[in-house]
Amino acid sequence: MFSKILIANRGEIAVRVIRACKEMGIATVAIYSQADQDALHVALADESYCVGEANPADSYLNEERVISAALVSGAQAIHPGYGFLSENAHFAALCRKNGLVFVGPTPESMEQLSDKAQLKQIMGDNGLEVIPGTQVLSSAQEALAAGANIGYPVMLKASAGGGGRGIRLVNAPNEMAQAYALAVAEGEAAFGDGSVYMEKYVHPARHIEVQILADEAGNVVCLGERDCSVQRHHQKLIEESPSPAVSRPQRKKLMALTAKAVKAIGYVGVGTLEFLLDQDGRFWFMEMNLRLQVEHGVTEMLTNVDLVKWQIRAAAGVSLNFRQQNVVLDGACLECRINATRPGKLTMLHVPGGPFVRFDTYLVTGLAVSPHYDALLGKLIVRAGTREEAVRKMKAALCELVIEGVQTNIAEQLDLVSDPRFMSGDYDLTFMEGR
């Protein structure tokens, strides 16, 4: 097991990883930009290094500076969190070149799985239905030709994407040029990679994702599914597990096929396979995220499996000590993402309590929320015996959560979970339309 890990991220995920490392007896190294010098993750880590200015390209995305900080600190591994460098094969290879372990898939695995067409072929060969799409597109002209072949509407997606960035819906050929340019620009700004690909737009549908955990010995477990259908502009707002739209027989079949596909690609670590569930009950494979998801806490609460610790163990070559039959999906979990709608200085923070209530955050009183980064302030997660009870618990927790000095979406989240359509569980990706 590692004795020291550098966390190449910020915000709540850096705090989450540092806490997991402390519980495992692993020393922690934080990196920070000049804008984050007073951040909680810096205070919690055993040591910390400034890696540049506020702009992510000059700090958190600066591969050489991150590697230098790890080498100077004597860290043995780098945990990338999510976003930033978490799915960057070049960075993973740079880690290996410098004798560091990248806590995530190997560079070869990332390179292989970054080929969207090849990945879909593998998934299709293992029994999953795949959405028609393309490989990386070289130009707007190529995208226009692909759109005509697939049939409109289509989606343009950043190849290195995540968090809803770099995605554009194209309803007709005359929208392609602008949509392509925007998707490329967003990919470059968020991930340092402007490559995009295209896939058919399945609508209406629910966004379902399956959490997997795999080790070097070839063991794969599926930790249930999450329903992420409450989204605005492809940014997830609420997640829940299990999905009220997925029956037990559907779940059993989906997890079996998912595990088979993950074994076929020889994947190691945590990952998420994303699907669209259409009105006919068909699961369409979209993509695989090769990292920890923002909403991993929902699965952790439901299954009592610490995904961050197992991600670190898998990177160290430790085999899973449980199997699929040991995974119990007990009760229901909900997560509401608490976002800043306007930056400011936090003057008061009150976090709700009680059994099975969790708030993952980096907030501390007096902290100035930076406008330079993602708006996510924290994730409020609850667990209960039934979905109905979990919804009531979430309402109570939202009412108790107090964040002053920074404008947030707490009131909106309370409105969403109180909506009759959400409360019934009968919703899909159209839920936020018109709001």
Side-chain angles (χ1 to χ4, degrees):
M1 182 48 63
F2 311 114
S3 60
K4 183 183 285 189
I5 293 178
L6 180 140
I7 296 88
N9 218 298
R10 64 175 302 279
E12 65 86 17
I13 188 57
V15 172
R16 171 72 183 89
V17 176
I18 289 171
R19 287 172 173 160
C21 288
K22 286 180 178 290
E23 292 177 17
M24 298 175 75
I26 300 171
T28 55
V29 182
I31 60 169
Y32 62 95
S33 69
Q34 292 174 4
D36 277 339
Q37 61 182 351
D38 297 322
L40 179 59
H41 77 282
V42 178
L44 290 179
D46 296 300
E47 55 188 293
S48 58
Y49 296 85
C50 181
V51 290
E53 299 175 0
N55 186 340
D58 298 323
S59 50
Y60 297 106
L61 285 171
N62 190 308
E63 298 178 18
E64 296 291 343
R65 291 180 184 175
V66 174
I67 292 291
S68 295
L71 295 176
V72 169
S73 71
Q76 299 159 309
I78 295 181
H79 194 301
Y82 53 70
F84 291 143
L85 300 169
S86 61
E87 293 182 282
N88 187 315
H90 180 268
F91 179 69
L94 194 60
C95 287
R96 177 190 287 170
K97 182 179 178 181
N98 285 275
L100 299 163
V101 175
F102 179 81
V103 181
T106 64
E108 293 79 13
S109 183
M110 279 195 276
E111 286 286 357
Q112 176 196 15
L113 300 180
S114 66
D115 186 332
K116 304 294 183 179
Q118 181 181 347
L119 177 59
K120 287 183 177 180
Q121 179 67 47
I122 294 171
M123 296 302 171
D125 290 343
N126 284 276
L128 296 175
E129 294 190 86
V130 299
I131 299 176
T134 69
Q135 294 181 313
V136 170
L137 300 164
S138 61
S139 65
Q141 289 73 27
E142 185 180 359
L144 197 62
N149 182 52
I150 294 173
Y152 291 90
V154 296
M155 298 285 284
L156 289 173
K157 293 188 173 184
S159 295
R165 294 176 179 83
I167 298 178
R168 282 291 181 273
L169 172 63
V170 186
N171 289 294
N174 63 344
E175 300 176 8
M176 184 63 74
Q178 182 180 16
Y180 181 85
L182 289 171
V184 169
E186 286 183 10
E188 289 177 342
F191 313 108
D193 183 350
S195 59
V196 299
Y197 67 99
M198 180 187 297
E199 65 184 22
K200 179 67 179 174
Y201 182 46
V202 179
H203 182 81
R206 294 179 80 123
H207 185 137
I208 305 294
E209 57 187 33
V210 178
Q211 176 71 60
I212 64 95
L213 179 58
D215 63 24
E216 290 182 351
N219 300 306
V220 178
V221 294
C222 294
L223 299 168
E225 85 286 350
R226 296 183 291 257
D227 196 318
C228 309
S229 301
V230 180
Q231 304 180 14
R232 176 186 285 124
H233 306 310
H234 310 294
Q235 295 278 345
K236 300 169 186 174
L237 293 173
I238 300 174
E239 296 97 357
E240 65 175 305
S241 184
S243 169
V246 179
S247 66
R248 287 187 179 182
Q250 282 179 308
R251 180 174 301 114
K252 184 177 180 180
K253 180 180 178 181
L254 180 62
M255 290 200 299
L257 290 173
T258 298
K260 179 184 177 184
V262 171
K263 286 182 180 180
I265 60 177
Y267 188 80
V268 176
V270 300
T272 303
L273 281 75
E274 303 204 2
F275 301 85
L276 289 177
L277 173 60
D278 68 19
Q279 290 183 310
D280 297 322
R282 299 169 71 184
F283 290 91
W284 294 92
F285 173 77
M286 289 191 293
E287 60 187 9
M288 182 175 178
N289 289 312
L290 317 178
R291 55 173 168 79
L292 199 67
Q293 293 280 92
V294 176
E295 58 273 18
H296 71 275
V298 177
T299 297
E300 291 181 327
M301 286 277 278
L302 188 68
T303 62
N304 291 318
V305 174
D306 190 315
L307 287 169
V308 178
K309 289 182 181 178
W310 274 111
Q311 185 182 29
I312 293 170
R313 290 177 186 135
V318 178
S319 296
L320 295 174
N321 64 359
F322 64 98
R323 298 293 181 265
Q324 190 65 56
Q325 61 267 28
N326 305 123
V327 176
V328 179
L329 307 181
D330 184 20
C333 286
L334 293 176
E335 173 182 288
C336 285
R337 299 193 187 191
I338 306 302
N339 298 325
T341 55
R342 182 179 297 176
K345 186 174 182 178
L346 189 67
T347 57
M348 180 182 174
L349 172 67
H350 173 74
V351 177
F356 309 112
V357 177
R358 167 177 166 179
F359 187 51
D360 286 10
T361 187
Y362 67 97
L363 296 179
V364 290
T365 301
L367 178 73
V369 174
S370 173
H372 300 289
Y373 309 110
D374 190 271
L376 182 68
L377 299 177
K379 304 172 306 192
L380 185 58
I381 311 167
V382 302
R383 173 184 172 182
T386 65
R387 185 178 186 275
E388 182 181 4
E389 186 182 354
V391 172
R392 289 199 300 267
K393 186 186 285 281
M394 179 58 80
K395 290 179 184 179
L398 286 166
C399 288
E400 190 179 342
L401 178 61
V402 178
I403 299 174
E404 293 185 354
V406 180
Q407 291 187 18
T408 74
N409 67 334
I410 295 175
E412 181 191 36
Q413 289 285 29
L414 182 59
D415 179 61
L416 295 180
V417 297
S418 301
D419 187 292
R421 190 177 173 192
F422 179 82
M423 291 176 65
S424 71
D426 185 20
Y427 63 93
D428 56 30
L429 286 166
T430 65
F431 181 74
M432 294 299 296
E433 291 182 1
R435 288 180 181 269

